[in-house]
Amino acid sequence: MAGERMDIEVAEKQLKSLDHSEQHYFNSYNHHGIHEEMLKDEVRTRSYMNAIVQNKHIFKDKVVLDVGCGTGILSMFAAKAGAKHVIGVDMSTIIFKAREIVKVNGLSDKITLIQGKMEEIDMPFPQVDIIISEWMGYFLLYESMLDTVLYARDKFLAKDGLIFPDKATIFVAGIEDGDYKEEKIGFWDNVYGFDYSPLKETALSEPLVDTVDMKAVVTDPTAVFTIDLYKVQPEDLAFSCPFDLTARRDDFIHALVAWFDIEFTACHKPVRFSTGPHTKYTHWKQTVFYLQDMLTVQQGEKVECSLHNRPNDKNKRDLDIKVEYRLETQDPNRQAGGSCLYKMC
Amino acid sequence: MAEAYPRSDSESASSSDNEEDWLNKAGDEDDEEEHEQVSVVSLFDDKVFPDAPAMLAYCKDKFGFDFVGVRDRLGLDFHGCVKLINLVRRSVKEGAALPREITADHLADDDKLLIPVLADDALIFCLDDLPESGKGQQGGSSAEIKAEEAQAGTGEKPAVDDLLQKNAQLQAEMEQLAKQFTNYRLAVEQTLDKRWGVDEEGEKKKAESSSSKTAAPEPKVDDSAYYFESYDHIDIHETMIKDTVRTNAYRDFIYANKHLFAGKTVLDIGCGTGILSMFCARAGAARVLAVDNSAILDKARENIFHNQLDSVITCIRGRIEDVVLPVDKVDIIVSEWMGYCLLYEAMLPSVFFARDKYLRPDGLLVPSHASMWIAPVSDGEYVAESVSWWRDVYGFDMKAMQAGIYTDVKMTVMPKDAVCGTAHAFRMLDLHTAKVEDLVFEDKWQTTLSDKVEALDGFLVWFDCFFAESRTEAVEPSLTAKEWAAAGRERVAFTTGPFDTATHWRQGLYLIDKGKAKEIEVGPGKKLAGEIRYAIQEDHARGLSIRVTWGLEDADKQSQTWLLN
C-alpha cells in the first residue's frame, strides 16, 4: 500500500513535468466518467472481448502488449484467453485502479501494469507476440493513441506478430441537417435578440461530435481513408484524399458526416464493428462537418470532395482538417463549390 | 497622430477587404475610447497617472528608468516600444531585475513580449502622446523627409511638386500605420486566445512564489489560471446561454424592470460573452461595465460591437479585485456567479468584494437572493447502474472504480421520483447583506419521508435564485422559487431542483456509503433530522467540503463528508 502511494506521488510528479496541454490530456482520463462511458459502450467492449476470448488458439502462451490499457479490461480478456503474460501500459494514473482491479480478479501474476509513456518505460519483455489497443478517438484520429501504437509496433512487435485491431477505415457521407444546423450554427445569428456572429465562425470551424440519424444520410457512404496497422507510418496520418459522394435522392446537403469501421482480421472469424449512423450507438458517435453553403442535389448527381487532415503543429493531438467540395450539374443555379477549414481541439 | 509614430519599414498590412473592414471599425471604436478617461499605470508600482508623459517622468525620477531615452537609443518602432513596455512590466511582476542596459537583443524576436502584461495597458494606447525622438519638435520622420528632400533637391524639379508628393506619401504612410496598429491589436487578441494561461502559467507560478515572500502590494497574481482558462472555450458559454431557465430569468427580470435600469450605471461581473451586459444596455442603462478575466472577453467585445452597444458597454479584462473601474460607484451589480451546489467555484466572494467597493448604498444586486435545499433520495435503479455495476464488468470485479463514489459529490440530473421526502431550505442568502463568513456554515435540516422511500440512498442538494426589485423586498426563507414568483405581482425566480426543467447546474447527489453507515428504519411518515455543513477545502480554494448529518428524529445521528472538486 505504502509502495503504491509512493508510485502515485512519482506519477504525479511525472505528470506535472509535462507540457500543459499534454498534462490536460492525460489528466482528463483520470476521471472515472470516461472509463465508465467506454466500458458501458457495448459495441466497443464486446467487439474486443469477442476478438480476444473467441480466439484462444491465437492468444495461448503468447506475450501480449496492451497499449493505453486504462482500467485493464483488454489485458484481462487476453489473460483469460490464455496469454502467457500481458503487459499493460498507460500514462494516466488510472493504472493504479487497474492494478487493484487485476489483483481483485486474481490475475496479478499474469498481468504487469506499467505507468508511463510507451516511449520511456522499461519493457519486461524485449519482444511481444501480439499488440492489443483501443486507441481510437473521435473521427478516428482526434486525441488518438495511434502514434504510440505504431511506436510499440516498430520497437517491440515480433516479426509476424499480430495487432488487434489491424484495420481502420474512415467513411464520409452527405447529410440533410437543416434543423440542427439552424439550431447549432444559426443560433448565433440571434441570441436573445443579439447578433453573436463572432461565435458563429468559431462554431462552424469546430466539427460537431454527435449522433446522426440514418434518415438524414443523403448520399452513398464512401470510404475515404484506410489504415493498415501493420504498414502505416506516422507521417501517413497527414493525408489528402479525393472522393465522390453520389446522391441517393433529391435533397439538400448541409454537412458531411464522418465515422469509422474497425476490423480484427487476424481472428478465426473476423470481428468488425462500425461507428456509423446505420448501426448501434457507440461513445464515438459520428463527426459532423457543416458546410458554409447548402447544396441542392438530385438523385444520381455527384459531389466531388476532398478531405485533408493533418495533426496540428503545436499540439499533435489536435487536428487541422480541410474539406473541399464541388457540385457539378447541368443547372447553373445549383452549381456550388467551396472549401472549409476545421479544427478539432 | 501618425507623425508621432516612428517611420516603419514598409511591412505593409496585407489584409483582405474583409479584415480591413473589420479593422477600420475597430479603429472607430478606439476613437471613441480615446475620449474616455485614461489611467496609465506606472511601470514600477501601482501608481496611476492621467497620461503617459506624466507617468514616465515619475518613473525617470523615482526609479531612474528613462523610457523615451531607451526608445531613442535603440531606435524602437511601435512594436519595439510595446515589447519594451512588456519587458519592464514582466520583470516587475516577476520581481526580476531589469538588465543594467536594455539592448536590442532583449527585445529581439520574442513575440511573447507582444502579449500585454497588463490587460488593456493604457500606456500602449498612449504611445503617440510621447515626445518624439531627438530634441525639440523635430521628429524622425520630418528629419528623414529633409534628407530625402536634399536628395530630391539635387534634381531639377521645383521643390513644391516634391513636397506635394511627399505629403501624399506621408498620408499613405499614416494610414498604413494606423492599420498596423489595429493589426497589432488583432494579433495580440489572437495570441491571447491561443496562449493565455499556457505560456504564462510558468511565469505566474514564479511570480506567485516571489510575491509570497514580499508582502508588498505587488500587482496581484492570479492563482487560478486554470479556472479562468476553462471559460475560454465556447462550449461552456453555449451551454450557459442555451440554459433557458437561467438566461430567461435574467432577461425577464431586466426587461420587465426597465425603470430600474434606465440611466443607471451597471457592473456585470464575469460577463462571459456579454449577454447580461447587453440586456442591461437594451433596458436603458446609461453605462455598463463588463468585467471578465477570461479570453472570452474578446468575443464579448466583438458581440457588443456588432450589436452597436459599444458606446454603452465598456469591457474590462481582469479579476474584479484587480481591475481599475472608470467610475467610483455603480447603481446595479448584475452577475451570474452561481456554481454547482450554489457555492462551488467560489465566485460569490468576488461579488461581495465588488458590492462593498462599488455598489451605492441604495444599489441593487441582480439576482438578490439565493436559497439552498436538501432532500433525501431513494433510487434503486441509479444505485444498480452506477454503483453495483462495477462489481461485474464483463465478468470482472472492478470495485476499485467505485473509489470516490461515496466521497465525491456527483453532479447529475435526478428524476423527481428519486426524491423520497420533503425538501428543506437550509440557507437563504440575502446577497445585499450576506458576508463571506456566511458561506461557511452548519445548518439544521429535517424531512418527512414519503411513500417513495424504499431505502435511503443519499441526499440531493440544489438551489433557487430570486430577483427582487428592491433591497427591501424580503424573501421568506422557506419559499420555493415557484411560490415566491407566483405570490402577488409577477416576480422572477428560478430553481435548479428536480421538480422543474433541468439546468446546466444539475443537482448535487450525495450517496450514502452503506458499507459504513448504520442502516436506519425508514418508511413513509418517518421524520429525519440533522445538519448540513459547507466548508472550503484546505488545498483547493474553489472546492467545497460538505458534511451531512442525519438520523431519525430523537435518535442517534451519523454523518458523512463529500468533496466537490
Side-chain angles (χ1 to χ4, degrees):
Chain A
M1 233 11 233
E4 210 152 80
R5 199 162 302 134
M6 229 153 73
D7 278 359
I8 294 174
E9 277 167 22
V10 171
E12 279 177 355
K13 245 182 226 155
Q14 285 173 349
L15 266 177
K16 279 184 184 139
S17 68
L18 291 171
D19 276 2
H20 182 83
S21 60
E22 285 194 331
Q23 225 182 81
H24 187 74
Y25 169 78
F26 287 120
N27 270 329
S28 70
Y29 266 72
N30 288 338
H31 296 295
H32 292 174
I34 183 69
H35 293 288
E36 186 169 348
E37 192 185 6
M38 292 193 296
L39 288 167
K40 285 185 172 171
D41 180 341
E42 280 223 19
V43 171
R44 161 197 181 271
T45 311
R46 201 161 282 281
S47 299
Y48 274 89
M49 184 176 79
N50 291 341
I52 297 168
V53 300
Q54 289 177 0
N55 290 281
K56 295 200 167 74
H57 62 287
I58 296 176
F59 280 84
K60 191 165 176 354
D61 296 331
K62 296 288 164 53
V63 175
V64 178
L65 172 62
D66 178 357
V67 179
C69 64
T71 57
I73 185 87
L74 305 188
S75 294
M76 293 195 292
F77 286 150
K80 286 270 178 203
K84 184 165 99 187
H85 203 84
V86 186
I87 306 130
V89 179
D90 205 308
M91 178 70 201
S92 154
T93 47
I94 188 69
I95 201 143
F96 301 115
K97 294 279 164 215
R99 259 182 216 162
E100 285 183 55
I101 292 165
V102 164
K103 196 171 168 194
V104 165
N105 290 282
L107 293 168
S108 296
D109 58 332
K110 286 273 172 206
I111 301 173
T112 303
L113 295 167
I114 303 172
Q115 199 266 344
K117 269 188 164 177
M118 196 72 228
E119 294 83 349
E120 289 164 8
I121 56 157
D122 291 326
M123 275 282 283
F125 292 83
Q127 259 198 352
V128 302
D129 304 305
I130 302 175
I131 290 175
I132 55 177
S133 179
E134 197 276 80
W135 51 268
M136 298 82 77
Y138 295 133
F139 183 60
L140 188 64
L141 299 173
Y142 172 58
E143 289 206 332
S144 97
M145 283 186 304
L146 183 53
D147 48 349
T148 307
V149 175
L150 300 184
Y151 174 86
R153 174 195 70 186
D154 296 342
K155 183 125 192 238
F156 300 114
L157 189 63
K159 192 169 170 290
D160 302 324
L162 299 176
I163 305 177
F164 278 65
D166 54 354
K167 198 174 158 197
T169 309
I170 296 177
F171 289 84
V172 173
I175 56 171
E176 189 287 313
D177 203 22
D179 290 349
Y180 203 54
K181 184 179 182 185
E182 187 52 37
E183 190 184 311
K184 287 298 289 185
I185 309 293
F187 171 79
W188 299 110
D189 284 332
N190 182 345
V191 176
Y192 284 82
F194 297 107
D195 176 355
Y196 261 57
S197 47
L199 289 171
K200 188 175 172 176
E201 290 154 37
T202 318
L204 264 175
S205 70
E206 290 174 357
L208 185 68
V209 174
D210 211 338
T211 51
V212 170
D213 191 341
M214 188 53 199
K215 284 189 288 236
V217 176
V218 172
T219 72
D220 288 331
T222 305
V224 300
F225 186 64
T226 298
I227 297 175
D228 177 341
L229 272 286
Y230 295 108
K231 291 185 184 143
V232 72
Q233 295 302 316
E235 56 271 23
D236 300 338
L237 302 177
F239 61 87
S240 292
C241 41
F243 59 96
D244 288 346
L245 295 174
T246 309
R248 287 175 169 174
R249 58 172 190 250
D250 293 2
D251 210 330
F252 306 102
I253 295 176
H254 299 95
L256 302 188
V257 61
W259 69 90
F260 58 88
D261 285 10
I262 292 295
E263 285 176 70
F264 303 79
T265 67
C267 297
H268 178 61
K269 218 177 110 190
V271 172
R272 65 181 290 169
F273 71 92
S274 173
T275 65
H278 54 287
T279 181
K280 268 176 84 176
Y281 171 90
T282 75
H283 78 285
W284 287 287
K285 303 178 194 170
Q286 289 91 41
T287 306
V288 175
F289 301 85
Y290 285 111
L291 305 178
Q292 298 276 359
D293 323 297
M294 178 187 74
L295 307 178
T296 309
V297 293
Q298 284 180 0
Q299 189 177 356
E301 280 178 350
K302 277 191 168 54
V303 185
E304 290 171 21
C305 304
S306 60
L307 177 73
H308 311 265
N309 174 74
R310 70 185 159 87
N312 184 269
D313 295 336
K314 280 194 190 134
N315 184 351
K316 65 188 167 91
R317 292 186 190 277
D318 292 350
L319 298 178
D320 292 327
I321 299 162
K322 185 162 102 176
V323 169
E324 290 169 305
Y325 57 94
R326 173 158 301 282
L327 172 63
E328 291 287 1
T329 75
Q330 305 293 338
D331 177 356
N333 294 326
R334 290 194 294 112
Q335 280 189 3
S339 115
C340 305
L341 294 173
Y342 306 90
K343 199 170 169 59
M344 288 190 89
C345 57
Chain B
M1 179 168 158
E3 270 182 330
Y5 290 122
R7 282 178 70 116
S8 78
D9 45 14
S10 56
E11 182 195 320
S12 81
S14 60
S15 52
S16 74
D17 288 352
N18 261 343
E19 276 171 337
E20 228 168 295
D21 214 30
W22 186 89
L23 290 169
N24 286 339
K25 281 184 203 156
D28 292 347
E29 200 179 12
D30 281 344
D31 290 345
E32 273 172 43
E33 276 173 10
E34 268 168 32
H35 298 303
E36 289 172 10
Q37 272 181 298
V38 179
S39 49
V40 185
V41 183
S42 157
L43 287 169
F44 293 90
D45 54 30
D46 43 21
K47 277 216 166 54
V48 171
F49 298 83
D51 60 40
M55 190 278 279
L56 292 176
Y58 166 80
C59 289
K60 196 172 172 181
D61 274 9
K62 183 113 188 268
F63 300 97
F65 179 75
D66 179 6
F67 179 86
V68 177
V70 174
R71 181 195 71 183
D72 294 348
R73 177 164 55 79
L74 300 175
L76 296 179
D77 62 6
F78 179 70
H79 281 73
C81 288
V82 171
K83 285 181 174 178
L84 177 59
I85 292 166
N86 288 325
L87 177 75
V88 175
R89 289 209 191 276
R90 192 168 76 181
S91 305
V92 170
K93 189 173 168 183
E94 289 173 7
L98 275 174
R100 181 174 302 205
E101 188 182 73
I102 295 174
T103 66
D105 283 347
H106 291 114
L107 306 173
D109 288 317
D110 188 355
D111 283 346
K112 264 191 219 167
L113 286 174
L114 286 173
I115 301 175
V117 174
L118 200 65
D120 289 328
D121 193 343
L123 179 55
I124 293 176
F125 300 108
C126 294
L127 278 173
D128 54 339
D129 294 340
L130 301 183
E132 294 176 3
S133 64
K135 286 166 198 159
Q137 296 301 310
Q138 272 196 349
S141 45
S142 18
E144 278 185 57
I145 296 172
K146 284 209 172 134
E148 285 176 50
E149 263 176 349
Q151 275 187 331
T154 59
E156 304 288 322
K157 290 251 178 183
V160 182
D161 278 2
D162 262 352
L163 281 174
L164 282 174
Q165 208 187 327
K166 292 291 172 204
N167 193 21
Q169 218 175 320
L170 275 173
Q171 265 178 0
E173 267 164 26
M174 184 170 100
E175 273 165 33
Q176 198 199 308
L177 281 166
K179 219 183 277 172
Q180 268 184 336
F181 181 76
T182 43
N183 264 345
Y184 160 71
R185 281 191 57 159
L186 191 67
V188 166
E189 282 183 11
Q190 285 167 347
T191 321
L192 281 178
D193 273 347
K194 281 187 216 124
R195 298 210 212 174
W196 196 270
V198 179
D199 285 356
E200 287 203 335
E201 204 166 65
E203 295 170 19
K204 274 176 189 154
K205 281 204 188 106
K206 267 184 253 156
E208 229 175 325
S209 53
S210 71
S211 72
S212 61
K213 277 175 219 143
T214 57
E218 292 265 331
K220 272 198 190 152
V221 173
D222 183 3
D223 56 354
S224 42
Y226 185 76
Y227 168 72
F228 291 113
E229 206 185 305
S230 70
Y231 280 83
D232 289 356
H233 294 288
I234 79 162
D235 319 25
I236 180 70
H237 296 285
E238 184 172 352
T239 306
M240 292 196 292
I241 290 181
K242 286 188 173 172
D243 181 344
T244 52
V245 171
R246 160 198 181 270
T247 313
N248 285 357
Y250 281 91
R251 178 200 60 187
D252 292 348
F253 177 78
I254 294 167
Y255 285 178
N257 290 286
K258 292 195 170 136
H259 60 285
L260 295 177
F261 288 85
K264 296 291 172 55
T265 299
V266 181
L267 171 61
D268 177 358
I269 304 169
C271 68
T273 60
I275 187 81
L276 304 185
S277 290
M278 293 198 287
F279 285 152
C280 295
R282 281 248 168 107
R287 182 158 202 198
V288 183
L289 307 169
V291 180
D292 204 306
N293 195 27
S294 145
I296 192 70
L297 193 67
D298 296 328
K299 294 289 177 194
R301 228 177 239 135
E302 279 189 65
N303 287 334
I304 288 159
F305 176 75
H306 279 290
N307 290 284
Q308 289 94 45
L309 293 170
D310 47 312
S311 58
V312 178
I313 305 172
T314 308
C315 292
I316 303 164
R317 180 160 176 171
R319 302 197 321 163
I320 188 69
E321 290 86 348
D322 302 338
V323 297
V324 181
L325 293 190
V327 297
D328 289 336
K329 292 289 169 194
V330 301
D331 303 300
I332 298 175
I333 290 177
V334 48
S335 179
E336 198 275 78
W337 52 267
M338 295 81 78
Y340 294 138
C341 295
L342 190 65
L343 299 180
Y344 176 63
E345 287 193 335
M347 190 173 152
L348 191 50
S350 298
V351 176
F352 290 164
F353 171 90
R355 175 196 68 189
D356 298 340
K357 184 165 180 191
Y358 297 113
L359 190 64
R360 276 185 216 293
D362 58 343
L364 188 67
L365 269 165
V366 179
S368 62
H369 296 75
S371 61
M372 290 181 262
W373 295 77
I374 183 170
V377 164
S378 174
D379 191 340
E381 203 180 316
Y382 182 88
V383 172
E385 273 292 299
S386 303
V387 184
S388 320
W389 185 82
W390 290 110
R391 301 309 301 270
D392 180 6
V393 181
Y394 292 85
F396 299 107
D397 184 346
M398 290 204 174
K399 71 175 179 202
M401 297 298 291
Q402 292 177 334
I405 223 160
Y406 300 120
T407 53
D408 293 341
V409 179
K410 169 102 174 161
M411 298 313 302
T412 183
V413 173
M414 290 300 276
K416 63 175 187 293
D417 287 343
V419 175
C420 66
T422 51
H424 181 93
F426 58 89
R427 177 143 289 225
M428 168 68 76
L429 293 171
D430 178 342
L431 301 169
H432 291 108
T433 53
K435 299 187 181 68
V436 174
E437 302 90 87
D438 300 331
L439 310 181
V440 172
F441 55 81
E442 180 152 21
D443 289 335
K444 292 199 178 313
W445 77 282
Q446 57 181 13
T447 184
T448 306
L449 297 175
S450 70
D451 54 5
K452 296 220 175 72
V453 64
E454 282 167 14
L456 183 63
D457 293 321
F459 309 99
L460 200 62
V461 171
W462 68 88
F463 64 88
D464 286 6
C465 236
F466 304 85
F467 296 75
E469 288 163 33
S470 80
R471 293 176 70 93
T472 51
E473 198 171 351
V475 180
E476 277 284 307
S478 59
L479 281 188
T480 64
K482 212 174 206 168
E483 288 163 346
W484 187 77
R489 294 166 291 124
E490 250 180 61
R491 293 196 285 205
V492 178
F494 70 88
T495 180
T496 64
F499 305 112
D500 224 316
T501 313
T503 70
H504 79 282
W505 284 288
R506 296 171 276 177
Q507 295 109 32
L509 177 64
Y510 302 59
L511 284 177
I512 294 172
D513 184 352
K514 290 190 184 153
K516 290 185 188 151
K518 255 187 304 165
E519 204 177 322
I520 55 171
E521 207 182 310
V522 293
K526 292 249 185 199
K527 285 187 192 330
L528 298 184
E531 276 109 44
I532 178 164
R533 187 185 72 182
Y534 265 55
I536 289 162
Q537 284 176 34
E538 273 171 26
D539 50 349
H540 178 41
R542 287 186 185 271
L544 289 175
S545 159
I546 299 165
R547 188 179 73 182
V548 178
T549 308
W550 75 96
L552 289 169
E553 222 183 8
D554 309 323
D556 285 351
K557 305 286 188 280
Q558 51 187 325
S559 71
Q560 194 177 322
T561 302
W562 292 265
L563 302 177
L564 186 50
N565 293 312

